[in-house]
mmCIF file of all heavy atoms in Angstrom:
data_model
loop_
_atom_site.group_PDB
_atom_site.id
_atom_site.type_symbol
_atom_site.label_atom_id
_atom_site.label_comp_id
_atom_site.label_asym_id
_atom_site.label_seq_id
_atom_site.Cartn_x
_atom_site.Cartn_y
_atom_site.Cartn_z
ATOM 1 N N MET C 1 -32.053 13.405 124.690
ATOM 2 C CA MET C 1 -32.118 14.597 123.824
ATOM 3 C C MET C 1 -31.229 15.617 124.404
ATOM 4 O O MET C 1 -30.911 15.630 125.606
ATOM 5 C CB MET C 1 -33.564 15.098 123.807
ATOM 6 C CG MET C 1 -34.096 15.487 125.142
ATOM 7 S SD MET C 1 -35.417 16.721 124.948
ATOM 8 C CE MET C 1 -34.304 18.105 124.869
ATOM 9 N N ALA C 2 -30.957 16.605 123.604
ATOM 10 C CA ALA C 2 -30.051 17.654 124.052
ATOM 11 C C ALA C 2 -30.242 18.944 123.280
ATOM 12 O O ALA C 2 -30.419 18.947 122.120
ATOM 13 C CB ALA C 2 -28.573 17.262 123.822
ATOM 14 N N LEU C 3 -30.443 20.005 123.893
ATOM 15 C CA LEU C 3 -30.553 21.295 123.312
ATOM 16 C C LEU C 3 -29.165 21.911 123.413
ATOM 17 O O LEU C 3 -28.775 22.610 124.355
ATOM 18 C CB LEU C 3 -31.562 22.140 124.091
ATOM 19 C CG LEU C 3 -32.989 21.725 123.944
ATOM 20 C CD1 LEU C 3 -33.781 22.550 124.881
ATOM 21 C CD2 LEU C 3 -33.505 21.846 122.607
ATOM 22 N N LYS C 243 -30.265 42.253 145.972
ATOM 23 C CA LYS C 243 -30.150 41.131 146.815
ATOM 24 C C LYS C 243 -31.627 40.529 147.364
ATOM 25 O O LYS C 243 -31.589 39.525 148.008
ATOM 26 C CB LYS C 243 -29.354 41.461 148.159
ATOM 27 C CG LYS C 243 -27.894 41.838 147.906
ATOM 28 C CD LYS C 243 -27.121 40.601 147.593
ATOM 29 C CE LYS C 243 -25.755 41.042 146.991
ATOM 30 N NZ LYS C 243 -25.125 39.962 146.258
ATOM 31 N N GLN C 245 -36.047 39.834 147.062
ATOM 32 C CA GLN C 245 -37.095 39.514 146.232
ATOM 33 C C GLN C 245 -37.807 40.763 145.549
ATOM 34 O O GLN C 245 -38.160 40.808 144.435
ATOM 35 C CB GLN C 245 -38.157 38.730 147.000
ATOM 36 C CG GLN C 245 -39.278 38.153 146.203
ATOM 37 C CD GLN C 245 -40.334 37.450 147.037
ATOM 38 O OE1 GLN C 245 -40.651 37.817 148.193
ATOM 39 N NE2 GLN C 245 -40.784 36.300 146.506
ATOM 40 N N ARG C 248 -35.757 41.625 142.570
ATOM 41 C CA ARG C 248 -36.009 40.660 141.563
ATOM 42 C C ARG C 248 -37.310 40.940 140.778
ATOM 43 O O ARG C 248 -37.388 40.856 139.691
ATOM 44 C CB ARG C 248 -35.968 39.250 142.122
ATOM 45 C CG ARG C 248 -36.077 38.010 141.232
ATOM 46 C CD ARG C 248 -35.088 37.994 140.082
ATOM 47 N NE ARG C 248 -33.723 38.087 140.433
ATOM 48 C CZ ARG C 248 -32.947 37.062 140.924
ATOM 49 N NH1 ARG C 248 -33.479 35.914 141.041
ATOM 50 N NH2 ARG C 248 -31.707 37.264 141.151
ATOM 51 N N HIS C 249 -38.322 41.037 141.641
ATOM 52 C CA HIS C 249 -39.661 41.433 141.098
ATOM 53 C C HIS C 249 -39.637 42.699 140.272
ATOM 54 O O HIS C 249 -40.334 42.814 139.260
ATOM 55 C CB HIS C 249 -40.747 41.589 142.225
ATOM 56 C CG HIS C 249 -41.056 40.235 142.760
ATOM 57 N ND1 HIS C 249 -41.988 40.100 143.798
ATOM 58 C CD2 HIS C 249 -40.685 38.967 142.462
ATOM 59 C CE1 HIS C 249 -42.029 38.841 144.205
ATOM 60 N NE2 HIS C 249 -41.309 38.141 143.257
ATOM 61 N N TYR C 251 -37.141 43.772 138.423
ATOM 62 C CA TYR C 251 -36.571 43.413 137.091
ATOM 63 C C TYR C 251 -37.575 42.499 136.394
ATOM 64 O O TYR C 251 -37.816 42.765 135.093
ATOM 65 C CB TYR C 251 -35.320 42.496 137.211
ATOM 66 C CG TYR C 251 -34.095 43.304 137.561
ATOM 67 C CD1 TYR C 251 -33.594 43.285 138.850
ATOM 68 C CD2 TYR C 251 -33.455 44.078 136.559
ATOM 69 C CE1 TYR C 251 -32.375 43.982 139.065
ATOM 70 C CE2 TYR C 251 -32.250 44.851 136.904
ATOM 71 C CZ TYR C 251 -31.737 44.730 138.203
ATOM 72 O OH TYR C 251 -30.645 45.533 138.423
ATOM 73 N N GLY C 255 -39.086 43.364 132.691
ATOM 74 C CA GLY C 255 -38.696 42.469 131.676
ATOM 75 C C GLY C 255 -40.045 41.921 130.837
ATOM 76 O O GLY C 255 -40.094 41.857 129.605
ATOM 77 N N ASN C 256 -40.977 41.471 131.612
ATOM 78 C CA ASN C 256 -42.253 40.904 131.026
ATOM 79 C C ASN C 256 -43.340 41.055 132.093
ATOM 80 O O ASN C 256 -43.510 40.122 132.974
ATOM 81 C CB ASN C 256 -41.999 39.472 130.545
ATOM 82 C CG ASN C 256 -43.324 39.010 129.703
ATOM 83 O OD1 ASN C 256 -44.348 39.566 129.789
ATOM 84 N ND2 ASN C 256 -43.093 37.904 129.028
ATOM 85 N N ALA C 259 -45.751 38.168 132.173
ATOM 86 C CA ALA C 259 -45.239 36.953 132.822
ATOM 87 C C ALA C 259 -45.089 37.145 134.298
ATOM 88 O O ALA C 259 -45.430 36.083 135.006
ATOM 89 C CB ALA C 259 -43.808 36.698 132.187
ATOM 90 N N ARG C 262 -48.596 36.491 135.722
ATOM 91 C CA ARG C 262 -48.918 35.090 135.671
ATOM 92 C C ARG C 262 -48.161 34.193 136.701
ATOM 93 O O ARG C 262 -48.598 33.258 137.138
ATOM 94 C CB ARG C 262 -48.747 34.519 134.226
ATOM 95 C CG ARG C 262 -49.806 34.917 133.268
ATOM 96 C CD ARG C 262 -49.532 34.208 131.931
ATOM 97 N NE ARG C 262 -50.355 34.825 130.952
ATOM 98 C CZ ARG C 262 -49.990 34.732 129.649
ATOM 99 N NH1 ARG C 262 -48.951 34.010 129.239
ATOM 100 N NH2 ARG C 262 -50.782 35.236 128.757
ATOM 101 N N ALA C 263 -46.866 34.622 136.988
ATOM 102 C CA ALA C 263 -46.086 33.895 137.869
ATOM 103 C C ALA C 263 -46.402 34.246 139.289
ATOM 104 O O ALA C 263 -45.854 33.613 140.223
ATOM 105 C CB ALA C 263 -44.596 34.209 137.642
ATOM 106 N N GLY C 322 -36.260 46.699 132.648
ATOM 107 C CA GLY C 322 -35.666 45.415 132.743
ATOM 108 C C GLY C 322 -34.195 45.502 132.887
ATOM 109 O O GLY C 322 -33.575 44.446 133.292
ATOM 110 N N ALA C 378 -29.224 34.793 120.150
ATOM 111 C CA ALA C 378 -29.175 33.324 119.804
ATOM 112 C C ALA C 378 -30.067 33.150 118.654
ATOM 113 O O ALA C 378 -31.145 33.642 118.642
ATOM 114 C CB ALA C 378 -29.519 32.568 120.939
ATOM 115 N N GLU C 379 -29.560 32.275 117.679
ATOM 116 C CA GLU C 379 -30.638 31.981 116.576
ATOM 117 C C GLU C 379 -31.634 31.072 117.020
ATOM 118 O O GLU C 379 -31.437 30.099 117.741
ATOM 119 C CB GLU C 379 -29.799 31.288 115.466
ATOM 120 C CG GLU C 379 -28.747 32.261 114.845
ATOM 121 C CD GLU C 379 -27.585 31.423 114.307
ATOM 122 O OE1 GLU C 379 -27.892 30.343 113.794
ATOM 123 O OE2 GLU C 379 -26.427 31.871 114.463
ATOM 124 N N ARG O 77 -53.117 27.114 139.024
ATOM 125 C CA ARG O 77 -51.675 26.688 139.209
ATOM 126 C C ARG O 77 -51.481 26.191 140.587
ATOM 127 O O ARG O 77 -50.613 25.298 140.782
ATOM 128 C CB ARG O 77 -50.841 27.949 139.045
ATOM 129 C CG ARG O 77 -50.901 28.368 137.619
ATOM 130 C CD ARG O 77 -49.827 29.523 137.230
ATOM 131 N NE ARG O 77 -48.486 29.036 137.439
ATOM 132 C CZ ARG O 77 -47.530 29.883 137.738
ATOM 133 N NH1 ARG O 77 -47.760 31.091 137.826
ATOM 134 N NH2 ARG O 77 -46.313 29.294 137.947
ATOM 135 N N TYR O 85 -47.892 28.993 127.741
ATOM 136 C CA TYR O 85 -48.558 29.835 126.717
ATOM 137 C C TYR O 85 -47.527 30.002 125.577
ATOM 138 O O TYR O 85 -46.332 29.755 125.733
ATOM 139 C CB TYR O 85 -48.995 31.218 127.207
ATOM 140 C CG TYR O 85 -50.154 31.069 128.199
ATOM 141 C CD1 TYR O 85 -49.790 31.013 129.572
ATOM 142 C CD2 TYR O 85 -51.416 31.101 127.801
ATOM 143 C CE1 TYR O 85 -50.882 30.945 130.467
ATOM 144 C CE2 TYR O 85 -52.422 30.949 128.731
ATOM 145 C CZ TYR O 85 -52.134 30.988 130.092
ATOM 146 O OH TYR O 85 -53.145 30.911 131.080
ATOM 147 N N ASP O 87 -46.538 32.796 124.267
ATOM 148 C CA ASP O 87 -45.446 33.811 124.552
ATOM 149 C C ASP O 87 -44.658 33.544 125.769
ATOM 150 O O ASP O 87 -43.916 34.210 126.212
ATOM 151 C CB ASP O 87 -46.133 35.199 124.731
ATOM 152 C CG ASP O 87 -47.219 35.151 125.886
ATOM 153 O OD1 ASP O 87 -47.383 34.234 126.703
ATOM 154 O OD2 ASP O 87 -47.967 36.139 125.911
ATOM 155 N N ALA O 89 -44.393 33.329 128.750
ATOM 156 C CA ALA O 89 -44.476 33.871 130.209
ATOM 157 C C ALA O 89 -43.168 33.772 130.891
ATOM 158 O O ALA O 89 -43.039 33.543 132.105
ATOM 159 C CB ALA O 89 -45.576 33.248 131.011
ATOM 160 N N LEU O 90 -42.075 34.159 130.225
ATOM 161 C CA LEU O 90 -40.744 34.211 130.863
ATOM 162 C C LEU O 90 -40.334 35.676 130.727
ATOM 163 O O LEU O 90 -40.658 36.442 129.809
ATOM 164 C CB LEU O 90 -39.651 33.348 130.055
ATOM 165 C CG LEU O 90 -39.993 31.884 130.013
ATOM 166 C CD1 LEU O 90 -38.906 31.272 129.123
ATOM 167 C CD2 LEU O 90 -39.950 31.273 131.383
ATOM 168 N N ASN O 93 -35.165 39.353 130.394
ATOM 169 C CA ASN O 93 -33.976 39.955 131.011
ATOM 170 C C ASN O 93 -33.491 39.171 132.211
ATOM 171 O O ASN O 93 -32.436 39.693 132.846
ATOM 172 C CB ASN O 93 -34.308 41.387 131.412
ATOM 173 C CG ASN O 93 -35.431 41.417 132.396
ATOM 174 O OD1 ASN O 93 -36.337 40.591 132.358
ATOM 175 N ND2 ASN O 93 -35.480 42.392 133.272
ATOM 176 N N GLU O 105 -39.672 33.032 144.780
ATOM 177 C CA GLU O 105 -38.152 33.042 145.046
ATOM 178 C C GLU O 105 -37.795 32.357 146.260
ATOM 179 O O GLU O 105 -38.529 32.580 147.297
ATOM 180 C CB GLU O 105 -37.576 34.425 144.958
ATOM 181 C CG GLU O 105 -37.666 35.131 143.546
ATOM 182 C CD GLU O 105 -38.914 35.786 143.108
ATOM 183 O OE1 GLU O 105 -39.939 35.670 143.983
ATOM 184 O OE2 GLU O 105 -39.068 36.307 142.101
ATOM 185 N N LYS O 107 -35.647 32.171 149.586
ATOM 186 C CA LYS O 107 -35.038 33.271 150.377
ATOM 187 C C LYS O 107 -34.197 32.664 151.614
ATOM 188 O O LYS O 107 -34.570 31.614 152.107
ATOM 189 C CB LYS O 107 -36.144 34.210 150.862
ATOM 190 C CG LYS O 107 -36.602 35.175 149.884
ATOM 191 C CD LYS O 107 -37.918 35.833 150.298
ATOM 192 C CE LYS O 107 -39.169 34.918 149.924
ATOM 193 N NZ LYS O 107 -40.357 35.665 150.271
ATOM 194 N N THR O 117 -33.061 37.743 152.101
ATOM 195 C CA THR O 117 -32.279 38.003 150.851
ATOM 196 C C THR O 117 -32.621 36.755 149.961
ATOM 197 O O THR O 117 -33.165 35.710 150.373
ATOM 198 C CB THR O 117 -30.807 38.048 151.065
ATOM 199 O OG1 THR O 117 -30.340 36.831 151.592
ATOM 200 C CG2 THR O 117 -30.435 39.249 152.057
ATOM 201 N N LEU O 118 -32.326 36.996 148.671
ATOM 202 C CA LEU O 118 -32.501 35.917 147.751
ATOM 203 C C LEU O 118 -31.469 34.808 147.992
ATOM 204 O O LEU O 118 -30.408 35.022 148.233
ATOM 205 C CB LEU O 118 -32.399 36.409 146.284
ATOM 206 C CG LEU O 118 -33.501 37.367 145.720
ATOM 207 C CD1 LEU O 118 -33.044 37.943 144.485
ATOM 208 C CD2 LEU O 118 -34.845 36.628 145.668
ATOM 209 N N GLU O 120 -29.858 32.604 146.109
ATOM 210 C CA GLU O 120 -29.397 32.301 144.659
ATOM 211 C C GLU O 120 -28.878 30.919 144.465
ATOM 212 O O GLU O 120 -29.116 30.204 143.531
ATOM 213 C CB GLU O 120 -28.363 33.404 144.186
ATOM 214 C CG GLU O 120 -28.758 34.758 144.227
ATOM 215 C CD GLU O 120 -29.667 35.247 143.143
ATOM 216 O OE1 GLU O 120 -30.116 34.378 142.333
ATOM 217 O OE2 GLU O 120 -29.985 36.447 142.990
ATOM 218 N N ASP O 135 -33.349 15.961 131.003
ATOM 219 C CA ASP O 135 -32.329 15.719 130.021
ATOM 220 C C ASP O 135 -32.193 16.997 129.087
ATOM 221 O O ASP O 135 -31.893 16.799 127.894
ATOM 222 C CB ASP O 135 -32.636 14.478 129.100
ATOM 223 C CG ASP O 135 -31.990 13.354 129.694
ATOM 224 O OD1 ASP O 135 -31.043 13.472 130.424
ATOM 225 O OD2 ASP O 135 -32.439 12.142 129.318
ATOM 226 N N ARG O 137 -30.144 20.091 127.795
ATOM 227 C CA ARG O 137 -28.848 20.526 127.967
ATOM 228 C C ARG O 137 -28.719 22.018 127.488
ATOM 229 O O ARG O 137 -29.101 22.307 126.328
ATOM 230 C CB ARG O 137 -27.731 19.712 127.129
ATOM 231 C CG ARG O 137 -26.996 18.796 128.088
ATOM 232 C CD ARG O 137 -26.319 17.718 127.287
ATOM 233 N NE ARG O 137 -26.992 16.476 127.389
ATOM 234 C CZ ARG O 137 -26.751 15.431 126.643
ATOM 235 N NH1 ARG O 137 -25.750 15.531 125.643
ATOM 236 N NH2 ARG O 137 -27.388 14.354 126.793
ATOM 237 N N LYS O 147 -31.036 35.398 125.510
ATOM 238 C CA LYS O 147 -29.873 34.848 124.757
ATOM 239 C C LYS O 147 -30.057 33.390 124.365
ATOM 240 O O LYS O 147 -29.162 32.690 123.790
ATOM 241 C CB LYS O 147 -28.583 34.949 125.583
ATOM 242 C CG LYS O 147 -28.225 36.330 126.141
ATOM 243 C CD LYS O 147 -27.896 37.294 125.073
ATOM 244 C CE LYS O 147 -27.533 38.628 125.551
ATOM 245 N NZ LYS O 147 -28.743 39.387 126.099
ATOM 246 N N SER O 149 -32.323 30.175 122.480
ATOM 247 C CA SER O 149 -33.193 29.902 121.314
ATOM 248 C C SER O 149 -34.609 29.659 121.815
ATOM 249 O O SER O 149 -34.853 29.388 122.910
ATOM 250 C CB SER O 149 -32.604 28.754 120.529
ATOM 251 O OG SER O 149 -32.799 27.601 121.233
ATOM 252 N N GLY O 150 -35.461 29.569 120.739
ATOM 253 C CA GLY O 150 -36.871 29.435 121.049
ATOM 254 C C GLY O 150 -37.115 28.084 121.693
ATOM 255 O O GLY O 150 -37.882 28.014 122.633
ATOM 256 N N LYS O 185 -37.149 18.340 119.625
ATOM 257 C CA LYS O 185 -36.680 18.304 120.960
ATOM 258 C C LYS O 185 -37.871 18.544 121.906
ATOM 259 O O LYS O 185 -37.929 18.005 123.041
ATOM 260 C CB LYS O 185 -35.587 19.288 121.239
ATOM 261 C CG LYS O 185 -34.283 18.670 120.677
ATOM 262 C CD LYS O 185 -33.162 19.847 120.496
ATOM 263 C CE LYS O 185 -32.003 19.222 119.704
ATOM 264 N NZ LYS O 185 -31.153 20.273 119.234
#
Side-chain angles (χ1 to χ4, degrees):
Chain C
M1 61 150 279
L3 292 169
K243 298 287 172 200
Q245 187 179 41
R248 181 59 51 80
H249 286 177
Y251 283 105
N256 186 346
R262 282 183 194 161
E379 294 149 41
Chain O
R77 294 186 62 202
Y85 294 91
D87 58 13
L90 299 175
N93 58 331
E105 290 82 1
K107 281 167 278 183
T117 62
L118 290 172
E120 301 280 8
D135 266 344
R137 255 167 261 167
K147 305 292 180 294
S149 70
K185 284 160 188 169

